Amino acid sequence: MLAVLIQTLPFFALIGLGYGAGRRGFFSAEATAALTKFVFYFALSAMLLKFSARLDLRALFDRDFLLAYLVGTLAVYLLATAIALFRARGMEEAAVEAQCAVIGNVGFLGIPMLVMLLGEAAIGPVMMVLVVDLIVFGSLIVIVITARRDGRVSPAVLGSVGLGLLRNPMIVSIVVGLAWSATGWPLPGPVTATLDILGAAATPGALFAIGASLATKSAERLAVAGWLSFAKLVLHPAAVAVMALVVLPVEPFAAGVMIAAAALPVAGNVFILAQHYGVAPHRVSASILISTAASVLTVSAVIAWVTS
């Protein structure tokens, strides 16, 4: 584990650098928002497009892999929902807490770190985890909260969810890259060079942006945030591991990547949704802060385990 911890430290050091810049006011909230937008729409999208354009489309979609991740994640999602309802928090808060328990920072932290640590073979599995998170669980929270407020799920809500997915640059980049891959043609040299240059900014930019955004987070409601962090960092990868290693015959390397992706801390976009709907944003903020800090050790331990 020590060797893996040493390998992961530079990633968390960049997060810490961004956090320090944000806390000291050197990097303002406006600058953080601009950097996040650049990484999200340009740098990370270029990286995803380049990676997906090289993938074998037929080998990418593994039914057992997708089912193992989906069922393992759903089990933790339902557990977090049940515990929130048992505490009489209501369906809206339960949906937000369940999101904290299963949605990790795969885009900004997982793709750069896992691909660099585990090699380019990790690209496909990480992308499949990201697709399930965005399409299934990213849509579910919107549907649950809207249905709770309106009393029904209207076609307009489903249409809005669909449009949101179509406008997500990560989804668009993956789809465009896979479509190009299906042609069997290599990317033209100038396109590859452009994507290489732009994609190279994704890792440092994303990590710095994570840290700078954490500077605005508060550590209130520690008991609940601690539980949600435990669910995300421990229960989620454990449930996925049971599905991938025991229940379904997932290829060992892909299973390891899936488990490592499941071990990532709570994603920042959960806070954006909580703030947008006005549902427990401080609780989510604390969960992101605590889970990210604790993940320095937990993620290293999980990666050391799956690579041993």
Side-chain angles (χ1 to χ4, degrees), residues 19 48 103 111 118 121-122 141 191 214 263 295 298-299:
Y19 179 80
L48 287 170
I103 300 299
I111 290 174
L118 302 177
I141 185 175
V191 174
L214 288 176
S295 68
T298 59
V299 169

Side-chain angles (χ1 to χ4, degrees), residues 226-254:
W227 146 245
L228 295 175
S229 298
F230 174 78
K232 184 67 202 72
L233 299 176
V234 179
L235 296 185
H236 188 206
V240 167
V242 170
M243 288 301 303
L245 300 177
V246 180
V247 179
L248 291 171
V250 178
E251 189 274 323
F253 177 79

Side-chain angles (χ1 to χ4, degrees), residues 84-100:
L85 293 176
F86 179 78
R87 292 173 19 242
R89 302 313 305 174
M91 197 61 216
E92 292 181 25
E93 291 188 29
V96 170
E97 289 192 8
Q99 200 81 352
C100 287

Side-chain angles (χ1 to χ4, degrees), residues 2-15 113 296 300:
L2 181 60
V4 175
L5 178 61
I6 292 172
Q7 286 182 293
T8 60
L9 276 181
F11 296 92
F12 290 104
L14 281 177
I15 293 175
M113 183 169 70
V296 177
S300 298

Side-chain angles (χ1 to χ4, degrees), residues 14-39 108 204-217:
L14 281 177
I15 293 175
L17 187 63
Y19 179 80
R23 290 292 292 180
R24 294 187 64 84
F26 183 79
F27 216 74
S28 67
E30 292 77 14
T32 301
L35 176 60
T36 301
K37 184 175 289 188
F38 165 74
V39 172
F108 273 42
L207 297 174
F208 193 92
I210 291 171
S213 66
L214 288 176
T216 62
K217 302 290 187 289

Side-chain angles (χ1 to χ4, degrees), residues 142-143 153-167:
V142 176
I143 293 171
V153 179
S154 67
V157 170
L158 296 179
S160 177
V161 170
L163 284 174
L165 291 173
L166 291 175
R167 292 170 180 163

